[in-house]
Amino acid sequence: MRNTIVLKNAKIVNEGHILDGDLAICKDRISQIGGTAVGTAEIDVAGSWVLPGMIDDQVHFREPGMEHKATIATESRAALVGGITSYMEMPNCIPQTTTHENLLAKHNRASRSSVANYGFYLGATNDNIEEIKRVDAQLACGVKVFMGASTGNMLVDNPQSLENIFASCPLVIATHCEDSPTIQKNESEARRLYGGDPPPELHAEIRSAEACYLSSSLAVALAKKHDARLHVLHLTTAREMELFEVGAMENKKITAEVCVHHLIFDASHYSSKKASIKCNPSIKSAQDREALRQAVNENRIDVIATDHAPHTREEKQSVKFVDAPAGLPLVEYAVPALLELVTQGVFELTTIVDKIAHAPARRFELRDRGFLREGFFADIIVVNPNGNSSVAARPVWSKCGWTPFDDCRFANEITHTIVNGNLMYDNGELCSAQSGLPLTYDRPK
């Protein structure tokens, strides 16, 4: 059968190696890697990197219930522009995704509007252990446990509920780890000292390293006690790194994730960027940031994600910093920002590809995704490493209309995004509205 798309003269980056040659696609699958190929459509990508698309294991697309901030349609398009071909979406929407019925309803929404591939978490509460036990392993990517302040009743703070979840959950448990009593105490004191208006840089002390460590160490202890599969999300501190092992992810039941903004920004940026970089857990010190970078390089941290969480400009800017909502729109510039760190010598290119594509595919047991392999789905991005692109000169695709990278210029540019063999994004233009597919998993049904 004739190849439908061939990427000619590529630098193919995959599984620790860079190979010069062509990459061919037949329908939705990769049909040839390396050598010379011919196809119906041939795209000369000489000088460019060809990478597996990012699999973002942590996004908030705000639908249903908060569509004034974002929708599955708008944010999946922004994700494609940013080189993210698959995402896993969080349960703290309205209504919350804490039942089988709401999980199925979210899939139905995405099937109608998502142009990227999609997966969804079932959310845990203090009292939905029976839903967790009966979760469909092909319908949920994992179970999300908010072990820190969250929306509505999704804070899981009952010790027996936590024991039950870690003892009984059949899927990967993904945790948000911050100790709420510590945060509440810190915030109350900060408001008292500063007349109700603490300065932005105090956010790193309110959502403190201690608050993070108390919660993440509890999660790790519970996982070890119950032999559970644990994935700790958006780690932010040097101290937490001692909780995780160095080495290949295949040998770990407990894995660690860091988000792009915690690798880019530090507390010194609060003075200029203010609420635009307010997030939970907070961006912390330069020393913490350096520890996170080191942990990525030594394979103590396994996955890099975005925690894309958009709010409107008005929501961010119309109130005091301490009252502004937490979260950043990140899917458009996560990959360029990480590749900028490659240009700066902070990371190897193959390391970034592993953390954004190979590792999440392995952690969540994705079927035929996350690698450039013959027979795998053709989820591919093309990056010009000499793109020299200005963020301010480009439109913002996320519905919120702003980005924390608005003052940045990147030495790379994503030129093409291919999803399931379909060319979706081509040099600044979305060129297809083909629907993405639900992620499938190599797990018992």
Side-chain angles (χ1 to χ4, degrees):
M1 191 175 294
R2 186 172 177 81
N3 294 318
T4 45
I5 298 176
V6 174
L7 302 176
K8 303 288 293 183
N9 307 308
K11 289 189 176 297
I12 302 165
V13 186
N14 186 60
E15 297 183 77
H17 302 285
I18 300 177
L19 171 69
D20 291 327
D22 296 351
L23 186 148
I25 299 164
C26 182
K27 295 188 175 180
D28 61 346
R29 304 277 177 155
I30 297 170
S31 55
Q32 180 180 325
I33 297 174
T36 302
V38 295
T40 303
E42 296 184 357
I43 305 171
D44 189 352
V45 296
S48 292
W49 300 327
V50 171
L51 319 176
M54 181 173 178
I55 300 169
D56 192 347
D57 76 359
Q58 188 183 181
V59 303
H60 301 262
F61 282 179
R62 305 301 192 194
E63 183 183 347
M66 291 173 277
E67 288 89 343
H68 70 285
K69 300 177 191 278
T71 67
I72 291 171
T74 61
E75 305 315 285
S76 66
R77 283 158 177 76
L80 293 191
V81 172
I84 295 168
T85 53
S86 300
Y87 62 86
M88 301 177 198
E89 211 265 350
M90 288 295 165
N92 53 334
C93 48
I94 304 169
Q96 297 160 346
T97 318
T98 55
T99 66
H100 176 88
E101 290 72 22
N102 287 349
L103 187 60
L104 185 60
K106 226 177 200 184
H107 271 268
N108 290 336
R109 283 175 175 268
S111 70
R112 297 190 297 268
S113 62
S114 182
V115 291
N117 304 314
Y118 50 89
F120 298 103
Y121 289 88
L122 178 72
T125 70
N126 278 323
D127 54 11
N128 75 335
I129 187 63
E130 295 306 318
E131 292 286 345
I132 292 170
K133 288 179 179 178
R134 73 182 185 103
V135 63
D136 185 336
Q138 289 297 319
L139 202 62
C141 54
V143 171
K144 175 65 180 289
V145 182
F146 287 93
M147 295 175 64
S150 179
T151 305
N153 71 334
M154 291 198 70
L155 171 62
V156 183
D157 58 356
N158 182 304
Q160 189 57 54
S161 296
L162 287 170
E163 292 280 354
N164 292 341
I165 291 166
F166 277 82
S168 305
C169 183
L171 301 180
V172 172
I173 300 168
T175 55
H176 176 135
C177 289
E178 292 182 285
D179 183 68
S180 292
T182 300
I183 293 167
Q184 290 160 4
K185 177 184 175 183
N186 292 345
E187 182 172 335
S188 177
E189 180 65 10
R191 286 180 183 270
R192 184 186 69 80
L193 289 174
Y194 290 91
D197 191 14
E201 56 269 23
L202 222 61
H203 187 57
E205 297 178 30
I206 293 171
R207 316 284 300 207
S208 65
E210 178 191 15
C212 292
Y213 186 84
L214 283 171
S215 185
S216 55
S217 60
L218 172 61
V220 169
L222 286 167
K224 289 180 176 179
K225 177 180 178 180
H226 295 288
D227 197 30
R229 289 180 291 168
L230 171 65
H231 186 54
V232 183
L233 302 173
H234 45 41
L235 291 154
T236 60
T237 74
R239 186 181 179 193
E240 287 171 295
M241 295 304 98
E242 71 186 43
L243 299 169
F244 303 95
E245 296 179 1
V246 171
M249 196 183 68
E250 293 88 333
N251 303 321
K252 301 176 184 179
K253 293 198 81 168
I254 298 172
T255 51
E257 179 214 86
V258 68
C259 288
V260 174
H261 46 299
H262 295 118
L263 295 171
I264 302 293
F265 301 116
D266 62 54
S268 68
H269 291 94
Y270 284 120
S271 60
S272 60
K273 292 190 173 289
K274 297 183 170 56
S276 70
I277 60 166
K278 182 181 178 182
C279 56
N280 299 335
S282 63
I283 290 166
K284 295 184 174 66
S285 72
Q287 291 75 23
D288 287 310
R289 185 187 68 175
E290 292 311 305
L292 297 174
R293 291 178 174 186
Q294 179 181 338
V296 169
N297 280 324
E298 65 187 10
N299 288 327
R300 192 181 298 273
I301 285 178
D302 305 286
V303 173
I304 301 176
T306 69
D307 195 16
H308 175 83
H311 300 280
T312 67
R313 275 198 183 97
E314 182 180 8
E315 288 170 329
K316 279 284 193 180
Q317 297 175 358
S318 63
V319 294
K320 300 172 185 176
F321 179 95
V322 71
D323 297 319
L328 289 65
L330 289 155
V331 292
E332 274 176 76
Y333 288 104
V335 174
L338 291 170
L339 295 180
E340 189 70 14
L341 294 180
V342 170
T343 300
Q344 294 171 10
V346 176
F347 302 122
E348 294 292 330
L349 177 58
T350 51
T351 298
I352 293 303
V353 170
D354 178 59
K355 303 302 181 187
I356 68 173
H358 307 335
R362 288 189 176 110
R363 172 77 279 196
F364 292 91
E365 304 165 292
L366 298 188
R367 183 173 297 146
D368 296 348
R369 298 195 191 274
F371 300 85
L372 301 181
R373 294 176 179 170
E374 293 177 4
F376 271 48
F377 284 103
D379 296 338
I380 299 165
I381 59 175
V382 180
V383 181
N384 176 3
N386 302 302
N388 192 28
S389 58
S390 168
V391 172
R394 301 181 57 174
V396 175
W397 290 83
S398 287
K399 185 173 183 178
C400 66
W402 63 274
T403 169
F405 297 109
D406 57 0
D407 58 350
C408 294
R409 177 179 290 275
F410 295 122
N412 68 85
E413 184 173 10
I414 296 169
T415 59
H416 302 79
T417 302
I418 296 169
V419 182
N420 303 316
N422 299 300
L423 180 62
M424 304 294 291
Y425 175 74
D426 183 353
N427 286 290
E429 298 292 333
L430 285 171
C431 50
S432 174
Q434 180 67 41
S435 296
L437 296 174
L439 296 172
T440 56
Y441 309 91
D442 283 322
R443 307 165 176 164
K445 292 188 177 180

